[in-house]
Amino acid sequence: MDVLLDFGARFLHQLQSPTLAFLLGGILIAALGSRLTIPDAIYKFIVFMLLMKVGLKGGMAIGEADIGAMLLPALIAVVMGCLIVIIGRYTLALLPGIRTEDGIATAGLFGAVSGSTLAAGTVVLESEGIPYEPWAVALYPFMDIPALVLAIVLASVYLKKKDGAGEKVAIWPIVKESLQGSALSALLLGIALGLFTNPDRVFESFYEPLFRGLLSVLMLIMGIEAYARLNELRRVAHWFAVYAAIAPLMNGLIAFGLGTIAHYLVGFSPGGVVLLAVIAGSSSDISGPPTLRAGIPTANPSSYIGSSTSVGTPVAIALGIPLYIGLAQAVFGT
Amino acid sequence: MDVLLDFGARFLHQLQSPTLAFLLGGILIAALGSRLTIPDAIYKFIVFMLLMKVGLKGGMAIGEADIGAMLLPALIAVVMGCLIVIIGRYTLALLPGIRTEDGIATAGLFGAVSGSTLAAGTVVLESEGIPYEPWAVALYPFMDIPALVLAIVLASVYLKKKDGAGEKVAIWPIVKESLQGSALSALLLGIALGLFTNPDRVFESFYEPLFRGLLSVLMLIMGIEAYARLNELRRVAHWFAVYAAIAPLMNGLIAFGLGTIAHYLVGFSPGGVVLLAVIAGSSSDISGPPTLRAGIPTANPSSYIGSSTSVGTPVAIALGIPLYIGLAQAVFGT
Amino acid sequence: MDVLLDFGARFLHQLQSPTLAFLLGGILIAALGSRLTIPDAIYKFIVFMLLMKVGLKGGMAIGEADIGAMLLPALIAVVMGCLIVIIGRYTLALLPGIRTEDGIATAGLFGAVSGSTLAAGTVVLESEGIPYEPWAVALYPFMDIPALVLAIVLASVYLKKKDGAGEKVAIWPIVKESLQGSALSALLLGIALGLFTNPDRVFESFYEPLFRGLLSVLMLIMGIEAYARLNELRRVAHWFAVYAAIAPLMNGLIAFGLGTIAHYLVGFSPGGVVLLAVIAGSSSDISGPPTLRAGIPTANPSSYIGSSTSVGTPVAIALGIPLYIGLAQAVFGT
């Protein structure tokens, strides 16, 4: 009972954290009809800055890391990416009024990863003083790419069965398309630069100090965007909204469980477990949509983009992050 | 006599301050035909950053402030907003070649408040080491909204008298339109976040350190813009330029006088008096024009936007701010 | 032999410097088909920030500088600007398949100066702890303007000889056009503000700390851009690529030699000699192209812009800067 109360208090405390408050503030002012917008050029630049920072830090850490310790978490990330798509695909198929292609695309987007949510997770962990393996951010592609590949393969199999229209899916183009996306490119370039050059000075004078502030602006943009996309979501089956509200937390909790196993088996840190849950709970907002649009052209983008942007992401950030941190504090006593 | 000499010296010193120098530099290079421009996306982002910073700081301060002390300054702000519009409306009506609607809209814009000018005022005060109540920035809407509402009401009354065309004015839509503008939204959101969350770290690592620098860029943009708009002003009656050159200083001085009364009655700080004068001397550059365009559609935007951007704002910043600071130093001995 | 080995080691070390690594990283991800882009508004703002910072620092230094010491380096800059154009014009004229106008325009662009390359040079010098006269950045226009003027005059003389089409060239409009370009405007405004106002606080809180980081982003953009422009270069004679690969280093080395003479005659610092070589090795990327397009309208922009952006600039930065620094360390023992 004490554990539960303790968890409740920590959860409420997190809701007041500025990172989440900017997200809620964005939703609020958009709902009140504010004309405040942050230009798209700024949005794109902020996403680049955050992923470059996360990548540089990860890259500098991988150089010193024990590669062996990464294996199990990376495997869990791959498993989670596939699991989310499979669970999502068959759950959504059971719900009334949902076209199967739309369901598969939505499950794929929720299996894919959001760099912004990941960045928010690292800031909240740092605010709470919970350490994590810096290479944990490199788990991103291990979950993102399998999820997108699997969703596109499932859609193709389904379409072929249905009317023979689906063609044989080549996997490499999907992987390549995913790696070439702006978010993964920035993250992987950052990791490479962190690994092979000495970016300490530019990291410490620029990427690191601006991180927290740029993230606050990004949260605001995402809040405004979430509200703006609600209309899109209203035009599709309501079950998408239900799925989008539940899936992030469910996926995050499964990943938290698997991460906890890795904690006891190979010493994966509590902060790393939280990040794994944050990654699993997130749904892609930048790179995923164009990949899915190209890979499952018959799916309706309003269904999956609307679900992810207007419900999935706010839930993943504003409820998910405090939930996993509260859990970690309760379970691991950090 | 000594007081006058002293004031003159302080005034000249202020003209060399970098904040004002960037404004004058912008006018200068635009006049010399430079093709240097700062992209619009950057301009919008800088305005957001400055108002968010001013709002956060104000919000964090309001939490600890004595609300009673705010009452008289807020009342003065409301009175000033109305007074500027009334004086401006009847002054401009007396001048030859000015359409009454244009005069009312111009008076409304000079009654409304410029967030950029307010931000410049706080930086110059901090450079001079003159303290002010951080909640003083929250006086912005108390002057801005009454001025815009009154101007639109006056225009409607005038048009109805003239040809029965004006309709009954609903006040709430104007207030709402004004609050939903991007500048006031950012300021009020900042105040709310400062009041209800703990944004200290993001404030101190991001909004606060970037403030002075971003303001220097904004001043440059406003200088370039002021010169570019001169052509627009040339196409309307010259009396607009005369009004725009005199009104900021006159309005600022009246507000300085009323603020001084508040200083003696309720201990309103000298820095607060200066900010009140800066707010009164400023004319809206972002939120005001669209509100007026919607509210007084028959007024010619070249007259009021040209007056405000190309003459009013440079006068309010480059002459007004040094004037009130010099006065405060002479009067209050700060 | 030891000197050579030492130079080789220093050269390799420089290639790992983050400034150059971001440039190479940009080329790499573009070659791998990444869709990562940095918005144009951010690019323009970064260039402004860097040149304003370089200008402010130069302006603050000129105030304390011995003007006499600037005379010889400034004269060398003028001579280099003309020399590069003359050598380039006659070299390119000898090569097969190159239209003379295109050759002259290309030589002009390589004589003109790149603010981004100059900024990169100052960062690498500072990383290496090699001091330079801060006014050395003010050598920029002394090389840039003569080069552009001479190229346009040579083109006009050539066209007049050929078919009498060239008109008498007025020199002042070219100088004015060049000074009004966004890069030189920002640099000169920065110098003026540094010289006549006290921008220390805004410089130290904003322009200086952001410099290194913004430059890393700019290098990335330039790398992406260099790869993207390769296609353009492929459509013109291959000799342009050969010239663009050799000219930066050759021009830089000549300037290094002349700078070394100034070192022994008037004590021009080793860092200053490096910067002179960096300026001479750079080719204009922002201001030069429009001036040349207006001044030599019959020249094909793909030839000169392609040469400069996709080959000249990467060579000037990634090979040139390490080369001159290695040389300076070997020659002057800094």
Side-chain angles (χ1 to χ4, degrees):
Chain A
M1 187 63 202
D2 267 9
V3 169
L4 215 69
L5 270 177
D6 190 44
F7 167 76
R10 288 175 197 282
F11 181 76
L12 283 175
H13 165 71
Q14 283 307 322
L15 282 179
Q16 273 186 296
S17 107
T19 302
L20 312 186
F22 273 87
L23 179 76
L24 301 175
I27 296 175
L28 182 74
I29 63 165
L32 293 173
S34 163
R35 290 188 301 278
L36 177 66
T37 54
I38 308 288
D40 194 53
I42 302 295
Y43 166 66
K44 287 195 174 124
F45 181 58
I46 291 179
V47 170
F48 161 77
M49 288 286 295
L50 299 184
L51 289 168
M52 178 55 70
K53 185 266 179 183
V54 166
L56 285 172
K57 192 170 178 185
M60 292 189 283
I62 287 172
E64 299 152 22
D66 172 13
I67 299 297
M70 293 181 63
L71 285 180
L72 186 58
L75 180 70
I76 294 176
V78 173
V79 169
M80 272 310 302
C82 298
L83 207 58
I84 293 169
V85 175
I86 293 168
I87 297 177
R89 184 244 179 281
Y90 289 103
T91 309
L92 284 160
L94 294 177
L95 298 173
I98 287 187
R99 286 171 62 227
T100 306
E101 296 103 295
D102 295 352
I104 296 174
T106 305
L109 205 61
F110 278 76
V113 174
S114 154
S116 322
T117 307
L118 169 59
T122 65
V123 159
V124 179
L125 278 175
E126 282 160 29
S127 294
E128 291 297 302
I130 303 177
Y132 60 92
E133 292 83 356
W135 51 255
V137 300
L139 297 175
Y140 177 152
F142 289 93
M143 196 180 301
D144 190 67
I145 294 173
L148 290 171
V149 168
L150 183 58
I152 294 173
V153 169
L154 286 181
S156 173
V157 168
Y158 166 77
L159 289 172
K160 192 176 284 176
K161 255 193 211 154
K162 195 177 128 200
D163 50 22
E167 293 162 36
K168 195 162 181 306
V169 184
I171 297 204
W172 173 237
I174 312 172
V175 175
K176 211 175 110 186
E177 164 95 10
S178 185
L179 288 169
Q180 289 172 338
S182 57
L184 257 181
S185 290
L187 183 74
L188 294 175
L189 177 61
I191 291 178
L193 289 170
L195 200 52
F196 299 118
T197 69
N198 273 315
D200 306 52
R201 272 183 77 175
V202 75
F203 180 79
E204 271 153 39
S205 72
F206 188 67
Y207 293 98
E208 166 71 26
L210 292 178
F211 186 62
R212 187 178 290 267
L214 290 175
L215 184 72
S216 73
V217 180
L218 182 62
M219 289 295 114
L220 184 65
I221 297 172
M222 289 170 76
I224 295 172
E225 184 71 10
Y227 188 83
R229 291 270 183 182
L230 263 187
N231 273 331
E232 225 165 294
L233 192 58
R234 280 199 197 105
R235 286 200 303 265
V236 297
H238 292 340
W239 285 109
F240 282 111
V242 175
Y243 173 77
I246 296 172
L249 302 179
M250 202 188 60
N251 297 333
L253 289 174
I254 296 174
F256 192 95
L258 295 177
T260 304
I261 296 176
H263 172 72
Y264 289 113
L265 288 183
V266 299
F268 193 40
S269 73
V273 175
V274 170
L275 271 195
L276 188 69
V278 168
I279 291 175
S282 77
S283 52
S284 178
D285 40 12
I286 300 169
S287 305
T291 303
L292 287 173
R293 205 174 283 213
I296 316 180
T298 56
N300 173 8
S302 289
S303 64
Y304 55 87
I305 300 178
S307 311
S308 168
T309 308
S310 65
V311 178
T313 297
V315 167
I317 296 174
L319 299 181
I321 297 177
L323 175 66
Y324 317 135
I325 289 189
L327 263 182
Q329 290 171 325
V331 171
F332 304 110
T334 44
Chain B
M1 189 60 202
D2 266 8
V3 169
L4 216 68
L5 271 177
D6 191 44
F7 167 76
R10 287 174 197 283
F11 182 76
L12 281 175
H13 165 71
Q14 284 307 322
L15 281 179
Q16 274 187 293
S17 107
T19 303
L20 312 186
F22 273 87
L23 179 76
L24 301 174
I27 296 175
L28 182 74
I29 63 165
L32 292 174
S34 164
R35 291 189 300 276
L36 177 66
T37 53
I38 308 288
D40 195 53
I42 303 295
Y43 166 66
K44 287 193 175 128
F45 181 58
I46 292 180
V47 170
F48 161 78
M49 288 286 296
L50 299 183
L51 290 169
M52 178 56 69
K53 185 264 178 183
V54 166
L56 285 172
K57 193 171 177 183
M60 291 189 281
I62 288 172
E64 299 151 22
D66 172 13
I67 299 298
M70 293 182 62
L71 285 180
L72 185 59
L75 180 69
I76 294 176
V78 172
V79 169
M80 272 311 301
C82 299
L83 206 58
I84 294 170
V85 175
I86 292 167
I87 297 177
R89 183 242 179 283
Y90 289 102
T91 309
L92 284 160
L94 293 177
L95 298 174
I98 288 186
R99 288 169 63 227
T100 305
E101 296 102 297
D102 295 351
I104 296 174
T106 305
L109 205 61
F110 278 76
V113 172
S114 154
S116 322
T117 307
L118 169 60
T122 65
V123 159
V124 179
L125 278 175
E126 282 159 29
S127 294
E128 291 297 302
I130 303 177
Y132 59 91
E133 292 84 355
W135 51 255
V137 300
L139 297 175
Y140 178 153
F142 289 93
M143 194 180 302
D144 191 67
I145 294 173
L148 290 171
V149 168
L150 183 59
I152 293 173
V153 168
L154 286 181
S156 174
V157 168
Y158 166 78
L159 289 171
K160 192 176 282 174
K161 254 193 210 155
K162 196 178 126 198
D163 51 22
E167 294 162 36
K168 197 163 180 306
V169 183
I171 295 201
W172 174 238
I174 312 172
V175 175
K176 210 175 110 187
E177 164 95 10
S178 185
L179 288 169
Q180 288 172 338
S182 57
L184 257 181
S185 291
L187 184 75
L188 295 175
L189 177 62
I191 291 178
L193 289 170
L195 199 52
F196 299 118
T197 71
N198 273 316
D200 306 52
R201 271 184 78 176
V202 75
F203 180 79
E204 272 154 37
S205 71
F206 188 68
Y207 293 98
E208 166 71 26
L210 292 178
F211 186 60
R212 187 180 290 266
L214 290 174
L215 185 72
S216 75
V217 181
L218 182 62
M219 289 294 114
L220 185 65
I221 297 172
M222 289 171 76
I224 295 172
E225 184 73 10
Y227 188 84
R229 291 271 183 183
L230 263 187
N231 273 331
E232 223 165 292
L233 192 58
R234 279 199 197 105
R235 287 200 303 267
V236 298
H238 293 341
W239 285 109
F240 282 110
V242 175
Y243 173 78
I246 296 172
L249 303 179
M250 202 188 61
N251 297 334
L253 290 175
I254 296 174
F256 192 95
L258 295 176
T260 304
I261 296 175
H263 172 72
Y264 289 113
L265 289 182
V266 298
F268 194 39
S269 74
V273 175
V274 169
L275 272 194
L276 187 69
V278 168
I279 291 174
S282 77
S283 52
S284 178
D285 40 14
I286 300 168
S287 305
T291 304
L292 287 172
R293 206 175 282 212
I296 317 180
T298 56
N300 173 8
S302 288
S303 64
Y304 54 86
I305 300 179
S307 310
S308 168
T309 307
S310 66
V311 179
T313 296
V315 167
I317 296 173
L319 300 181
I321 297 177
L323 175 66
Y324 317 133
I325 289 190
L327 263 183
Q329 289 171 326
V331 172
F332 305 109
T334 44
Chain C
M1 189 63 204
D2 266 9
V3 169
L4 216 70
L5 271 177
D6 190 46
F7 166 76
R10 288 174 197 283
F11 181 77
L12 282 175
H13 165 71
Q14 285 306 321
L15 282 179
Q16 272 186 295
S17 107
T19 302
L20 311 187
F22 274 88
L23 179 76
L24 301 175
I27 295 176
L28 182 74
I29 62 166
L32 292 174
S34 162
R35 291 188 300 279
L36 177 66
T37 54
I38 308 287
D40 194 53
I42 302 295
Y43 166 66
K44 288 196 174 122
F45 181 58
I46 291 179
V47 170
F48 160 77
M49 288 286 295
L50 299 184
L51 290 168
M52 177 56 70
K53 184 266 180 184
V54 166
L56 286 172
K57 192 170 177 184
M60 292 189 282
I62 287 172
E64 299 152 20
D66 172 13
I67 298 298
M70 294 182 61
L71 284 180
L72 186 58
L75 181 68
I76 294 176
V78 173
V79 169
M80 273 310 302
C82 298
L83 207 58
I84 293 170
V85 175
I86 291 168
I87 296 177
R89 184 241 180 280
Y90 288 103
T91 308
L92 284 160
L94 294 178
L95 299 174
I98 288 187
R99 287 170 63 227
T100 306
E101 295 103 297
D102 295 351
I104 296 175
T106 305
L109 205 61
F110 278 75
V113 174
S114 155
S116 323
T117 308
L118 168 59
T122 65
V123 159
V124 179
L125 278 175
E126 282 159 29
S127 293
E128 291 297 303
I130 304 176
Y132 59 92
E133 292 83 355
W135 51 255
V137 300
L139 297 175
Y140 179 153
F142 288 94
M143 195 181 302
D144 191 68
I145 293 173
L148 291 170
V149 168
L150 183 58
I152 293 172
V153 168
L154 285 181
S156 174
V157 167
Y158 166 78
L159 289 171
K160 192 177 284 175
K161 256 195 209 154
K162 195 177 128 199
D163 49 23
E167 292 162 36
K168 197 163 180 306
V169 184
I171 296 203
W172 173 238
I174 312 171
V175 175
K176 212 175 110 186
E177 164 95 10
S178 184
L179 288 169
Q180 289 172 337
S182 56
L184 257 181
S185 290
L187 183 75
L188 295 175
L189 177 62
I191 291 179
L193 289 169
L195 200 53
F196 299 118
T197 70
N198 273 317
D200 306 51
R201 272 183 77 175
V202 75
F203 180 79
E204 272 153 38
S205 72
F206 188 67
Y207 293 98
E208 166 72 25
L210 292 178
F211 186 61
R212 187 179 291 266
L214 290 174
L215 185 72
S216 74
V217 181
L218 182 62
M219 289 294 114
L220 184 65
I221 298 172
M222 289 170 76
I224 295 172
E225 184 72 10
Y227 188 82
R229 291 270 183 183
L230 264 187
N231 273 331
E232 223 164 294
L233 192 58
R234 280 198 197 107
R235 287 199 304 265
V236 297
H238 292 339
W239 285 110
F240 282 111
V242 176
Y243 173 77
I246 297 173
L249 303 179
M250 202 187 60
N251 296 334
L253 289 175
I254 297 175
F256 192 95
L258 295 177
T260 303
I261 296 176
H263 172 72
Y264 290 113
L265 288 181
V266 299
F268 193 39
S269 74
V273 174
V274 169
L275 272 193
L276 188 69
V278 168
I279 291 174
S282 77
S283 52
S284 178
D285 39 13
I286 300 169
S287 305
T291 304
L292 287 172
R293 205 174 283 213
I296 317 180
T298 56
N300 174 8
S302 287
S303 64
Y304 55 86
I305 300 179
S307 311
S308 167
T309 307
S310 66
V311 179
T313 296
V315 167
I317 295 174
L319 299 181
I321 296 177
L323 175 66
Y324 317 134
I325 289 189
L327 263 184
Q329 290 171 326
V331 172
F332 305 110
T334 43

